[in-house]
Amino acid sequence: MMLDNRGLEPPQPMMRTLKALEKLQTGETLKIINDRRPMFLYEQLDELGYKHTTEPNEDGSYTIEITK
């Protein structure tokens, strides 16, 4: 599943991402694209036990892969 959060004002990207994560089954992955590093989202993911990796994109955005 892919979620493009570019162009959204905070906290919309985080809210959309957390809502999408609720639908994931264990072992499934969600990829999101954000305009900036989602520092507050990382804290939430760590608390909820999700694994995540972040890759910078050429346009300055970030792709974050989150696994339940």
Side-chain angles (χ1 to χ4, degrees), residues 6-18:
R6 289 175 290 187
L8 298 175
E9 289 298 318
Q12 278 190 310
M14 187 163 93
M15 303 309 287
R16 289 182 77 211
T17 300
L18 292 174

Side-chain angles (χ1 to χ4, degrees), residues 20-63:
L21 288 173
E22 290 175 5
K23 300 174 184 169
L24 286 187
Q25 301 296 316
T26 301
E28 289 185 326
T29 299
L30 170 68
K31 281 189 180 184
I32 63 170
I33 304 174
N34 281 19
D35 290 321
R36 57 190 70 81
R37 282 184 183 269
M39 302 313 287
F40 294 112
L41 177 62
Y42 294 146
E43 294 173 17
Q44 288 285 327
L45 296 175
D46 291 340
E47 281 183 27
L48 295 169
Y50 289 95
K51 294 178 182 166
H52 53 90
T53 58
T54 302
E55 295 290 327
N57 299 316
E58 288 182 15
D59 66 358
S61 65
Y62 293 89
T63 300

